[in-house]
Amino acid sequence: MQKTCRHCQITFPIRPEDLAFYEEMQVPPPTLCYLCRMQRRLSFRSERFLYHRKCDLTGKQMISTYSTDKPFPVYEMDAWWSDDWDAKSYGRDFDFSRPFFDQFFELRDQVPRTARIQQKPMENSEYCNTAGHCKNCYLCFSTSTSEDCYYGTFVNFCKTCVDNTNVRDSEICYECVNCTNSYAVRYSRDCKNCSSSMFLRSCIGCKDCFGCYNQVQKQYMIFNEQKTKEEYEAFMKTIKTGSFAQIEELKKQFNEFSKHLIVKEYYGTNNENSIGNYINNCKNTYYAFECDNVEDVAYSTCIYKSKNAMDHSYWGEGTEKTYECQACGYGSYNLKFCNLCATNCSDLTYCDHMFTSKNCFGCVGMKQAEYCILNKQYTKEEYEELVPKIITHMKNTGEFGEFFPAGKSQYAYNETLAYEQMPLTKEETLARGWKWKDEDESSKYEGPNITLPDNINDAPDEITKNILTSTLSGKTYKIITQELEFYREHQIPLPRLTPNERHYERLKMRNKRAMYDRTCAKCHKPITTTYSPDRPETVYCEKCYLETVY
């Protein structure tokens, strides 16, 4: 079955497996292609933007993912979870003379929301969002069970890691992208089980290596050439790792050296009948990205331990039967068109910011609720009679089967992960009827520019008290004390860009979450990969890659 995306106008297929899933979930086939559906869901997810504001319930000063111009109240986390307010007090009758979304978003804009998304325990990690079980972490996002980590995204089960993206089960790693089970690795990407190395790409089990790619279980390698222990140690003595100028030159040298590397059609291991990228231990998975331990999943991103899901972005952890959901997880079941619903939720449809609730439709900000519609309480019999009527009404208005419209997100488009995946200009964003947030320059720094020393050994303690200026944009940033200590201990030069700019530089090292059809460069077998046909890398199918590299 072929359909035309009503947004981007491309033709996209709907597989027989997709149709079976839609029938099981009792939803119509989508009207958008998988990329536009992902963009719409991610427009409801913001991670990196934090603001100072006061709790609208207690007056306490707090850090929030919501700026002060948002229409709804924002409560400090403990206040939101307290019994000092009741989400049912915002309940209202459903009006069949009006579209559902109009009524839903009127409700959404009145119900209080939590200042940040955190899962306790969180110790000394106030400046983290979409995070849980962290200790002494700073500006870490989509991060879980980590300690002493700074400036990271999707950094899980890590310790003392700084400036990383998609790093797991690692320690003392710096400026790494898509690395797992690694120790003391810097400036590397797509590596596994590596240690004490710098400038690696697509390496497994390597130790004491420098500037290498496509190496497996090697030691004392320099730019893919085997050296003796003595030769390697002599070479490393010539590298001033604390010098910004030398590190920048080495980055250019390694990028030039590795531009002809062979890459596998996808990154991941132990998958069965699966297509995607950065997938591990997956079965019957189609067009999935950064997913682990999932089964019968399609068009999904960053979910873990999930079954029977389609178009689910972020979280998971024991979810089953989910469709068009964003940030839903922890043992939840049968969720449709939901945003941020978690902890044993079940049978929710078009719900937002719900916890431990079931059998609710169009509800916002409720805890342990059941048989509610637009936050109004009903009996089981009343609920089961009214919901089908609302669904019929939504089918007539063309709303049922669609996730929440991007223009109704609680965030501006350029605050969201959709902007990271599919950047638009301000003009393009506004033309679509979506929100845009201009940068606040009312308190723009006009003080003296601080010249940073080339070598970390020359950085004074006072640098943590200075306001620094990005060499790329002129935007300001600071170095925190713990960060300076990390740089000194591990001989790493001070960064010249803001944390957000460093994040975007790392994103450039990752393929977009889009699939392309091409052929293996060795056996010419058809493959589906995130490497577009115009990319310079040599792309092998998994079989040819393993035969060549291993």
Side-chain angles (χ1 to χ4, degrees):
M1 179 179 179
Q2 298 285 323
K3 294 196 71 173
T4 299
C5 176
R6 63 178 175 83
H7 189 183
C8 69
Q9 303 304 309
I10 71 164
T11 300
F12 65 96
I14 295 181
R15 305 173 303 153
E17 301 95 316
D18 301 343
L19 289 172
F21 180 84
Y22 301 142
E23 184 176 352
E24 179 186 4
M25 298 295 285
Q26 298 181 326
V27 298
T31 61
L32 301 182
C33 68
Y34 78 96
L35 287 174
C36 289
R37 299 196 303 267
M38 177 174 60
Q39 180 185 35
R40 184 171 57 181
R41 289 192 308 276
L42 294 183
S43 70
F44 281 78
R45 183 178 182 85
S46 177
E47 294 181 347
R48 309 184 60 79
F49 289 81
L50 298 176
Y51 304 92
H52 287 284
R53 61 177 294 166
K54 289 185 178 180
C55 173
D56 288 310
L57 182 64
T58 66
K60 177 182 176 181
Q61 191 70 32
M62 63 182 185
I63 301 156
S64 174
T65 186
Y66 302 112
S67 54
T68 56
D69 59 353
K70 306 303 181 191
F72 41 79
V74 178
Y75 291 177
E76 182 266 332
M77 288 183 62
D78 289 339
W80 192 90
W81 283 99
S82 73
D83 295 327
D84 294 340
W85 70 284
D86 185 2
K88 290 182 181 178
S89 66
Y90 297 88
R92 72 272 320 270
D93 293 324
F94 189 84
D95 184 351
F96 284 93
S97 68
R98 303 176 60 209
F100 165 78
F101 282 143
D102 288 354
Q103 300 176 67
F104 176 83
F105 287 112
E106 285 178 2
L107 171 67
R108 193 278 308 269
D109 288 346
Q110 294 182 15
V111 179
R113 302 182 77 86
T114 53
R116 301 181 308 287
I117 306 303
Q118 292 189 345
Q119 290 289 321
K120 292 186 176 182
M122 292 287 288
E123 182 179 342
N124 190 31
S125 302
E126 293 82 3
Y127 286 86
C128 296
N129 187 39
T130 59
H133 312 288
C134 293
K135 180 180 179 181
N136 301 330
C137 291
Y138 179 73
L139 293 183
C140 287
F141 310 98
S142 284
T143 290
S144 175
T145 320
S146 293
E147 183 175 350
D148 297 320
C149 293
Y150 319 118
Y151 313 115
T153 298
F154 227 62
V155 176
N156 298 307
F157 305 97
C158 292
K159 187 173 182 180
T160 321
C161 290
V162 179
D163 269 318
N164 298 285
T165 298
N166 284 54
V167 172
R168 183 183 177 94
D169 296 304
S170 297
E171 187 172 351
I172 316 179
C173 288
Y174 178 73
E175 281 286 9
C176 290
V177 178
N178 305 318
C179 294
T180 60
N181 298 100
S182 294
Y183 179 86
V185 173
R186 306 182 203 173
Y187 314 112
S188 300
R189 54 173 155 158
D190 303 319
C191 294
K192 185 176 181 180
N193 299 330
C194 294
S195 63
S196 304
S197 299
M198 298 175 65
F199 298 107
L200 301 184
R201 186 171 178 188
S202 300
C203 292
I204 298 176
C206 292
K207 179 182 180 181
D208 300 313
C209 291
F210 187 100
C212 297
Y213 63 84
N214 291 144
Q215 298 299 314
V216 179
Q217 302 293 338
K218 298 294 179 60
Q219 187 175 15
Y220 306 129
M221 299 278 291
I222 300 175
F223 291 111
N224 281 21
E225 291 186 6
Q226 184 64 62
K227 305 292 182 180
T228 66
K229 179 176 183 292
E230 293 72 22
E231 288 173 331
Y232 180 84
E233 290 177 347
F235 170 81
M236 289 305 299
K237 287 181 180 179
T238 69
I239 304 297
K240 298 177 181 177
T241 64
S243 165
F244 179 80
Q246 184 166 32
I247 290 298
E248 290 300 295
E249 183 58 36
L250 287 168
K251 286 180 181 179
K252 294 177 183 178
Q253 185 177 350
F254 180 63
N255 287 339
E256 179 65 22
F257 172 72
S258 62
K259 68 180 182 181
H260 299 300
L261 87 165
I262 299 170
V263 295
K264 190 170 70 168
E265 57 185 303
Y266 79 97
Y267 287 96
T269 56
N270 196 31
N271 299 299
E272 179 182 344
N273 188 33
S274 296
I275 296 175
N277 201 28
Y278 299 115
I279 53 176
N280 296 282
N281 306 314
C282 296
K283 182 179 180 181
N284 302 330
T285 299
Y286 183 76
Y287 280 34
F289 309 92
E290 295 119 87
C291 292
D292 291 342
N293 301 287
V294 303
E295 184 174 351
D296 298 320
V297 166
Y299 315 115
S300 296
T301 303
C302 299
I303 60 173
Y304 175 66
K305 288 185 178 178
S306 294
K307 288 184 177 181
N308 205 22
M310 193 172 290
D311 289 289
H312 185 161
S313 297
Y314 285 88
W315 209 340
E317 192 81 26
T319 54
E320 187 171 354
K321 284 188 69 174
T322 55
Y323 176 59
E324 279 279 27
C325 289
Q326 195 286 128
C328 294
Y330 280 168
S332 294
Y333 177 83
N334 194 30
L335 307 186
K336 293 178 282 192
F337 316 110
C338 288
N339 178 58
L340 193 57
C341 297
T343 314
N344 300 319
C345 287
S346 64
D347 301 296
L348 303 184
T349 307
Y350 285 108
C351 288
D352 181 24
H353 207 224
M354 302 279 286
F355 299 89
T356 322
S357 297
K358 58 184 178 178
N359 296 305
C360 291
F361 193 105
C363 292
V364 181
M366 305 190 80
K367 299 162 280 188
Q368 298 183 333
E370 186 174 12
Y371 301 124
C372 293
I373 301 171
L374 294 180
N375 284 32
K376 181 178 177 179
Q377 184 67 63
Y378 291 88
T379 66
K380 179 178 184 293
E381 294 73 21
E382 291 170 333
Y383 178 87
E384 292 177 345
E385 180 182 357
L386 184 54
V387 165
K389 294 179 180 179
I390 295 175
I391 292 175
T392 299
H393 174 74
M394 292 179 67
K395 288 179 179 178
N396 292 334
T397 59
E399 297 171 293
F400 189 74
E402 304 292 344
F403 190 72
F404 304 120
K408 291 294 187 178
S409 171
Q410 64 270 38
Y411 303 106
Y413 186 77
N414 57 323
E415 291 180 300
T416 69
L417 265 59
Y419 179 78
E420 290 188 1
Q421 176 70 21
M422 301 175 182
L424 299 173
T425 65
K426 178 180 178 180
E427 291 72 25
E428 291 170 331
T429 301
L430 296 178
R432 297 186 182 192
W434 302 348
K435 296 189 286 287
W436 183 272
K437 185 173 179 59
D438 290 317
E439 187 174 354
D440 182 10
E441 296 187 356
S442 60
S443 57
K444 188 174 181 180
Y445 177 69
E446 297 180 353
N449 287 329
I450 304 298
T451 300
L452 297 179
D454 174 69
N455 199 295
I456 185 61
N457 294 329
D458 299 322
D461 293 344
E462 292 73 22
I463 202 73
T464 59
K465 300 176 182 177
N466 296 134
I467 296 177
L468 308 180
T469 304
S470 165
T471 57
L472 178 66
S473 65
K475 294 181 180 179
T476 58
Y477 66 105
K478 295 199 72 175
I479 302 292
I480 63 173
T481 302
Q482 305 94 309
E483 179 185 359
L484 178 61
E485 292 172 354
F486 176 87
Y487 296 147
R488 284 172 168 170
E489 181 178 357
H490 302 289
Q491 285 296 289
I492 294 170
L494 296 173
R496 267 56 175 177
L497 305 181
T498 70
N500 267 353
E501 290 167 344
R502 302 192 308 259
H503 170 69
Y504 284 114
E505 288 298 308
R506 291 193 298 275
L507 286 183
K508 293 177 183 177
M509 301 179 191
R510 309 183 71 241
N511 293 356
K512 294 289 187 179
R513 296 169 182 143
M515 306 300 298
Y516 304 90
D517 292 327
R518 57 185 295 174
T519 58
C520 171
K522 185 175 183 181
C523 73
H524 307 296
K525 169 183 126 178
I527 57 176
T528 304
T529 177
T530 56
Y531 291 95
S532 60
D534 59 349
R535 290 282 295 266
E537 294 90 350
T538 301
V539 184
Y540 280 9
C541 68
E542 183 172 26
K543 181 176 181 294
C544 290
Y545 180 86
L546 295 178
E547 290 174 350
T548 302
V549 174
Y550 284 74

